[in-house]
Amino acid sequence: MIDLKLLRDDPDRVRASQRARGEDPALVDALLDADAARRAAISAADNLRAEQKSASKSVGKASPEERPALLARAKELADRVKTAESEQADAEQRFAAAHMAIGNVILDGVPPGGEDDFVVLETVGEPPAIENPKDHLELGEALGLLDMNRGAKVSGSRFYFLTGVGALLQLGIMQLAVRTATEHGFTLMIPPVLVRPEVMSGTGFLGAHSDEIYRLEADDMYLVGTSEVPLAGYHSDEIIDLSNGPVRYAGWSSCFRREAGSYGKDTRGIIRVHQFDKVEGFVYCKPEDAEAEHQRLLGLERQMLAAIEVPYRVIDVAAGDLGSSAARKFDCEAWVPTQGTYRELTSTSNCTTFQARRLATRYRDENGKPQIAATLNGTLATTRWLVAILENHQQPDGSVRVPEALVPYVGRSVLQP
């Protein structure tokens, strides 16, 4: 949730952020009104409690003649306190709902607009000249790397088996990501993939896109779509030590997405599936360090893409295509020959203090005073990378060259039909 001090001091900035996101700026005024009503209700209840306390003390000191009137007054005040506390609770509830309705305030320089309004920051590498390229599914099936038909038989559409060297190739990508992350000071984590509602909500995933999430109703638990969620919850309700710099984790987990609303889109192969593996970088830092950490995560993503030797571009995602938690997001999109376009392989978001404020994650400043931490996340590897590797490294005879960095994990330099 957004910083109330920013809201009160500079509501126009929050309104501008809402407009850039394509969201209703009137929600800002609704929150300001709810904030004022909440503070008024708290003040009214506090004053009445103080008056009731004073009246109760006066009863004990009163003469027999004065006591009946004072008792009646004390009873009246008790009833008024009860009413005021109920009104305060209602005001708090309305305020919380209004506060949760507003996405993170975007950072300066984020492009306004929607999905197609991104800005290309850099293009790296040249798309390969491949005559009549085969797509990743045709290649993967011919090479015995994946089995979509049996995945659908066992679990339904958009499920798959990675088989033989296909499984080794994915594990190789993940292990390369783990090695890269740990060499750069990240602590490896294998987190739970089921989380409580307060953790899922705290990370901002139960808003507009909550229909993307699998929920286990009997247990009131959610399957995560990224290890960002459990890693964000890891230090919830804690004061963490940032005196030695940012705290960095790399989470390796299976991820689950319902892909609601994407029927008929990317149904072929493993571009858009219900289950996949991912290594996710996650950082806790002081707010003033967040932009530098964002560039650091982007640098690690670029290092990984260089290792798998695919052409890619870096884009600055437009405000209307950001999740509610992100104040800025950079995507790295790899070239997909059969589609003749770039598709997202990595994403890194600066969530500033938005998630940590919801999850009550703080640190102590130089004066020992608790402050809200900042959080960031970034993809370091995921199953979808197989698409870019297979299609960009295919050979005319149907074989696929294995990127040199992955050969030690796969055990061969060429995948043969």
Side-chain angles (χ1 to χ4, degrees):
M1 57 185 70
I2 66 170
D3 184 355
L4 287 178
K5 186 177 187 303
L6 172 62
L7 172 80
R8 295 163 185 160
D9 292 348
D10 195 359
D12 284 341
R13 181 179 168 192
V14 186
R15 292 188 190 99
S17 175
Q18 287 288 100
R19 283 191 288 271
R21 285 178 172 273
E23 297 177 4
D24 188 359
L27 292 174
V28 178
D29 298 294
L31 178 55
L32 285 167
D33 291 343
D35 180 40
R38 177 185 68 105
R39 287 190 286 173
I42 291 171
S43 178
D46 286 346
N47 290 338
L48 280 170
R49 278 190 289 266
E51 194 175 348
Q52 180 194 20
K53 185 177 180 180
S54 176
S56 298
K57 286 182 178 178
S58 66
V59 170
K61 300 175 183 178
S63 65
E65 294 80 12
E66 298 171 324
R67 188 165 294 171
L70 291 173
L71 283 170
R73 173 63 176 160
K75 183 179 183 305
E76 176 197 352
L77 285 169
D79 291 340
R80 290 177 62 190
V81 165
K82 190 176 296 184
T83 300
E85 288 177 339
S86 176
E87 291 173 350
Q88 178 184 339
D90 289 343
E92 294 271 14
Q93 191 173 21
R94 288 193 296 272
F95 165 76
H99 203 178
M100 297 284 273
I102 295 180
N104 200 356
V105 177
I106 64 171
L107 296 175
D108 291 341
V110 172
E115 183 178 359
D116 298 326
D117 297 310
F118 59 84
V119 172
V120 178
L121 300 178
E122 185 178 5
T123 300
V124 179
E126 290 291 331
I130 303 173
E131 188 175 348
N132 299 319
K134 298 176 181 177
D135 74 4
H136 70 281
L137 180 58
E138 184 178 357
L139 289 164
E141 290 180 335
L143 294 168
L145 309 181
L146 62 93
D147 191 329
M148 299 294 298
N149 290 332
R150 290 187 176 91
K153 179 178 70 174
V154 170
S155 301
S157 64
R158 304 202 187 200
F159 286 94
Y160 56 95
F161 283 86
L162 291 178
T163 55
V165 178
L168 288 177
L169 189 56
Q170 171 169 288
L171 287 172
I173 298 168
M174 301 297 159
Q175 289 179 81
L176 179 62
V178 165
R179 193 185 74 190
T180 301
T182 54
E183 286 176 351
H184 285 83
F186 286 70
T187 299
L188 180 61
M189 307 280 272
I190 298 180
V193 296
L194 280 168
V195 299
R196 299 176 185 274
E198 57 268 26
V199 175
M200 187 65 79
S201 175
T203 48
F205 284 92
L206 289 185
H209 299 289
S210 59
D211 58 351
E212 289 285 330
I213 301 167
Y214 284 105
R215 178 170 178 253
L216 280 67
E217 293 188 18
D219 303 291
D220 195 19
M221 299 277 280
Y222 291 90
L223 279 167
V224 302
T226 168
S227 59
E228 170 193 346
V229 177
L231 292 178
Y234 187 66
H235 287 299
S236 61
D237 298 310
E238 293 182 17
I239 297 178
I240 61 176
D241 184 5
L242 297 180
S243 59
N244 294 318
V247 173
R248 305 181 182 99
Y249 299 112
W252 181 344
S253 74
S254 291
C255 304
F256 306 87
R257 294 184 185 174
R258 293 186 62 240
E259 293 295 348
S262 64
Y263 302 108
K265 185 177 182 182
D266 292 326
T267 55
R268 181 173 168 80
I270 58 172
I271 289 180
R272 195 182 295 270
V273 290
H274 294 306
Q275 179 181 338
F276 54 94
D277 275 14
K278 182 163 68 157
V279 175
E280 183 84 357
F282 193 88
V283 179
Y284 293 93
C285 67
K286 297 176 182 179
E288 60 266 29
D289 296 332
E291 291 196 47
E293 287 300 305
H294 201 192
Q295 290 297 326
R296 182 186 177 95
L297 280 167
L298 179 59
L300 288 181
E301 292 177 340
R302 291 164 62 100
Q303 183 177 331
M304 283 294 300
L305 291 172
I308 64 170
E309 305 171 33
V310 296
Y312 69 93
R313 68 182 183 185
V314 182
I315 67 169
D316 195 352
V317 176
D321 199 28
L322 298 175
S324 64
S325 298
R328 189 168 210 163
K329 181 169 73 166
F330 301 122
D331 283 357
C332 292
E333 301 180 326
W335 179 256
V336 178
T338 56
Q339 296 189 9
T341 190
Y342 292 90
R343 298 300 302 270
E344 178 198 332
L345 286 198
T346 79
S347 180
T348 177
S349 297
N350 180 356
C351 296
T352 60
T353 59
F354 188 87
Q355 292 177 329
R357 183 171 283 106
R358 289 185 174 207
L359 292 165
T361 305
R362 299 174 294 165
Y363 70 98
R364 293 194 187 278
D365 63 19
E366 60 276 9
N367 299 314
K369 183 178 179 181
Q371 304 286 354
I372 302 295
T375 61
L376 302 96
N377 62 81
T379 311
L380 298 178
T382 187
T383 300
R384 185 184 284 190
W385 289 32
L386 295 173
V387 175
I389 291 171
L390 293 176
E391 293 207 14
N392 281 285
H393 297 309
Q394 61 181 290
Q395 309 296 317
D397 63 356
S399 65
V400 171
R401 183 179 65 83
V402 177
E404 186 177 345
L406 296 178
V407 170
Y409 303 104
V410 179
R412 63 197 72 184
S413 59
V414 179
L415 307 181
Q416 299 282 357

